[in-house]
Amino acid sequence: MFTSEDCKWCPAVDKIVRKLTGHEMQMVSVTTVDVGIEPEIAQRYNITEIPTILMNEEPVLKGYMSEEMIKDRLWNKFFEILLNKENTLKIRKKTVFDTIQSTLDSLIQKKLIRPTIGDYVHLFALQSTVATLLSLDPLASKLLYQNSRLFGMYGYYQMLLMNANLKLTKAITPKERFYETTKALELLFNNYGLFPNYAVETIQLKEFSENEAYIEVTGNAFSVGVSSIDEPLCHPFAGQISGIFEVFTGKPILVTETRCWGLGDPYCEFKIELGKDSKTIATEFDRYKEDIAERREKFLYLLHDINTNYQNSILMQRQLRPKIGDFIHISVLQEAVTTLKLEDPFVSALLYSAGREFGLVGMGKDIFMDLVIKNGLKTPVDDLTEALPILKELFDHNYLRFSRIYSSMQITELKDDEATIEIYECAYASGLENTNTTYCDFMAGIIAGRLNLLIEDTVIVKEISCHGTGDTKCTFKITIE
Ligand SMILES: [Zn+2]
Ligand SMILES: [Zn+2]
């Protein structure tokens, strides 16, 4: 950040930037350069206006801007950096493969990963995680697509699809393989006995030509039941399909979601194009950037929708998917969001930020605030010794536990400004192999967001051990700044 002593706007902008980078974007560090003291640095970067902020040596903003604007500019640049980096990353086949072994055991051998609550989680968890992630920036769509594409390529689908459609193994030309793969998808996903992950209710091939196919998907867990936000929502699903087709046809594949609940349709439709590269995707999402404030507003409504649907689903037994119900295998959630971290550890900051957002506005907030009153407290509360027992009550509340995102939460250390909690059978990480990675940044973010509803000072939550680091539970360290 370039400043000068007599710069009028600098202190205000500096304050906002430090607030963002210290908390929500913890992987970003800020250096200030006073152009009066170090003019040669300013000259090297052609600084003509103060304040100017560069990120990875490229300008992100100049002059005074509101907090919302600064936040958007920083996120946007951050996503760009992340996506460009991703192209140069080596694909970690083995890690993907290790990650899915317990999924297969659970789905096919019926060996439970989570002995107390079983291996299915309410699709509410998937929808709210993806929605808050997307609300940060339209480019999150591409990140989700690319990550899931790897699972399509290196996951277990090939084996399952070949078993489901024996003609697939015998098909020779790319076109034949293209066709047989669509048929295999139909056969696999419509056979719940064979493959009960419940990601979707049905898949049907609608149109097929030389190098283009349309498939219709009903009851897609990523979007079923939400109202229109003028954007498709099922990017992880689209990405996974593209990876699958790439492997079977040996050609580049572009999958575009042409109909979706997010676009106002009561089902999803995907256009699969043979021989078309996915590089064109980034520009496609650019059009969602036009009105950021309006887009955010839409996502807020979307979260509200997801909460209402959850309530109807568990309290009124009004299921979004009459045939198969509203629970999905935890692997659907893990493959879509959790394993983004295999791509790049920096993604943890995104997930944390999204979780924090959800903690501040998402489902369970009303119950949480009611619990505060019931305990005779007023916000803001003094410290963690007051706030954390209420959070524990929230975690113990049946309304949340019905989602089966976790089985239980325990407080293991509690001081005024420091605490440790454990979460058992967390859906984001249970069953994942030890890859020396903590996977539950979204959960850490939720805890931070929730506590920040009660505590004025910034709450920082860090996952210190996880299934992904070889533990049998997830442990979170909570500190107050
Ligand atoms: Zn969709
Ligand atoms: Zn964890």
Side-chain angles (χ1 to χ4, degrees):
M1 175 166 170
F2 290 86
T3 61
S4 69
E5 212 181 323
D6 53 1
C7 161
K8 190 163 61 154
W9 298 118
C10 291
V13 173
D14 185 67
K15 206 175 147 210
I16 297 168
V17 169
R18 283 189 196 274
K19 188 178 148 207
L20 289 172
T21 51
H23 307 133
E24 289 179 44
M25 314 173 88
Q26 284 174 48
M27 64 293 159
V28 179
S29 61
V30 194
T31 315
T32 312
V33 179
D34 188 316
V35 295
I37 299 170
E38 296 172 288
E40 59 289 339
I41 299 182
Q43 210 165 29
R44 189 179 354 138
Y45 291 106
N46 274 328
I47 305 299
T48 53
E49 208 175 323
I50 299 293
T52 290
I53 295 180
L54 307 183
M55 206 165 166
N56 275 23
E57 304 198 310
E58 280 173 50
V60 220
L61 57 94
K62 283 178 186 170
Y64 180 74
M65 283 183 182
S66 69
E67 179 166 349
E68 258 322 87
M69 286 277 266
I70 296 176
K71 194 169 162 181
D72 285 321
R73 294 284 181 98
L74 290 179
W75 272 126
N76 200 253
K77 189 78 211 163
F78 181 61
F79 270 103
E80 254 177 62
I81 292 167
L82 208 65
L83 289 169
N84 289 333
K85 213 169 144 193
E86 169 214 65
N87 298 335
T88 60
L89 272 179
K90 231 173 59 200
I91 294 155
R92 299 174 217 177
K93 272 194 237 184
K94 190 175 176 312
T95 328
V96 171
F97 195 75
D98 283 346
T99 310
I100 55 153
Q101 196 47 53
S102 62
T103 302
L104 282 181
D105 289 347
S106 165
L107 280 169
I108 292 162
Q109 320 266 1
K110 313 275 180 238
K111 247 171 39 196
L112 281 188
I113 297 167
R114 307 193 297 179
T116 349
I117 49 170
D119 294 343
Y120 291 82
V121 61
H122 198 277
L123 56 81
F124 153 82
L126 179 74
Q127 291 189 352
S128 42
T129 312
V130 171
T132 37
L133 205 54
L134 287 172
S135 74
L136 291 178
D137 194 293
L139 280 177
S141 337
K142 203 194 165 201
L143 203 63
L144 289 165
Y145 182 96
Q146 294 292 18
N147 173 66
S148 299
R149 186 170 151 256
L150 288 189
F151 271 88
M153 288 171 85
Y154 303 113
Y156 42 78
Y157 281 103
Q158 295 157 48
M159 182 190 81
L160 293 171
L161 289 164
M162 285 194 288
N163 280 341
N165 179 10
L166 296 173
K167 285 188 195 150
L168 184 55
T169 11
K170 295 188 188 105
I172 296 164
T173 66
K175 200 197 151 190
E176 275 168 15
R177 289 177 153 263
F178 186 43
Y179 180 75
E180 294 305 338
T181 309
T182 57
K183 286 321 246 181
L185 279 178
E186 268 188 3
L187 289 163
L188 182 68
F189 278 94
N190 297 329
N191 186 341
Y192 314 118
L194 190 67
F195 186 55
N197 83 343
Y198 302 131
V200 306
E201 206 159 40
T202 62
I203 288 189
Q204 210 190 343
L205 177 60
K206 277 292 181 196
E207 262 180 71
F208 188 86
S209 66
E210 187 80 30
N211 41 30
E212 209 174 271
Y214 282 89
I215 57 167
E216 186 183 296
V217 176
T218 66
N220 196 339
F222 289 96
S223 63
V224 63
V226 306
S227 50
S228 170
I229 54 154
D230 303 319
E231 286 183 39
L233 289 162
C234 311
H235 313 289
F237 191 82
Q240 201 152 44
I241 291 184
S242 80
I244 290 170
F245 276 93
E246 267 175 54
V247 167
F248 281 121
T249 61
K251 300 225 165 190
I253 294 281
L254 177 65
V255 177
T256 319
E257 190 170 18
T258 43
R259 282 170 189 271
C260 183
W261 287 84
L263 292 166
D265 306 297
Y267 58 91
C268 303
E269 181 189 77
F270 298 87
K271 178 163 98 176
I272 306 162
E273 292 172 275
L274 182 69
K276 202 162 167 186
D277 210 280
S278 68
K279 281 196 187 83
T280 49
I281 260 190
T283 51
E284 232 170 83
F285 292 117
D286 278 348
R287 66 194 161 98
Y288 302 128
K289 280 188 190 165
E290 276 156 24
D291 197 333
I292 288 162
E294 197 184 308
R295 185 174 179 271
R296 255 208 197 127
E297 190 84 345
K298 283 183 194 161
F299 272 94
L300 223 54
Y301 279 115
L302 183 69
L303 276 181
H304 179 76
D305 253 15
I306 296 171
N307 295 347
T308 311
N309 287 343
Y310 174 67
Q311 197 172 336
N312 288 337
S313 170
I314 60 155
L315 296 180
M316 328 284 277
Q317 298 292 314
R318 223 184 292 146
Q319 312 250 342
L320 295 166
R321 308 187 300 181
K323 248 203 247 169
I324 54 172
D326 294 343
F327 283 82
I328 52 168
H329 194 264
I330 52 172
S331 59
V332 182
L333 177 70
Q334 293 174 355
E335 285 164 21
V337 285
T338 311
T339 51
L340 283 172
K341 284 191 84 169
L342 297 177
E343 279 287 302
D344 194 316
F346 282 145
V347 172
S348 56
L350 300 184
L351 290 165
Y352 183 81
S353 230
R356 196 170 169 278
E357 193 80 19
F358 184 80
L360 289 170
V361 300
M363 181 271 256
K365 186 185 167 182
D366 297 343
I367 298 173
F368 193 44
M369 299 323 270
D370 284 348
L371 287 172
V372 176
I373 297 165
K374 238 178 157 177
N375 279 278
L377 292 171
K378 262 199 290 219
T379 51
V381 305
D382 288 341
D383 51 43
L384 282 173
T385 53
E386 279 190 350
L388 208 53
I390 300 174
L391 187 72
K392 159 97 175 125
E393 270 187 60
L394 179 72
F395 270 79
D396 289 347
H397 201 289
N398 270 341
Y399 186 67
L400 262 80
R401 289 181 52 192
F402 280 142
S403 67
R404 293 190 218 147
I405 296 175
Y406 56 90
S407 60
S408 68
M409 185 265 248
Q410 302 298 336
I411 302 171
T412 49
E413 186 212 345
L414 183 55
K415 290 188 219 151
D416 289 352
D417 55 357
E418 212 180 278
T420 311
I421 63 170
E422 291 172 353
I423 290 179
Y424 289 85
E425 302 191 312
C426 177
Y428 292 94
S430 292
L432 294 178
E433 290 293 305
N434 182 356
T435 46
N436 225 344
T437 313
T438 57
Y439 284 105
C440 311
D441 304 280
F442 190 78
M443 186 60 101
I446 294 179
I447 298 165
R450 280 284 125 101
L451 289 172
N452 256 143
L453 288 170
L454 309 191
I455 297 173
E456 260 184 334
D457 297 319
T458 304
V459 180
I460 305 265
V461 180
K462 208 172 160 30
E463 187 177 27
I464 48 177
S465 76
C466 181
H467 300 269
T469 59
D471 212 333
T472 52
K473 56 182 185 289
C474 300
T475 308
F476 300 87
K477 182 103 199 154
I478 305 167
T479 45
I480 294 184
E481 283 209 326

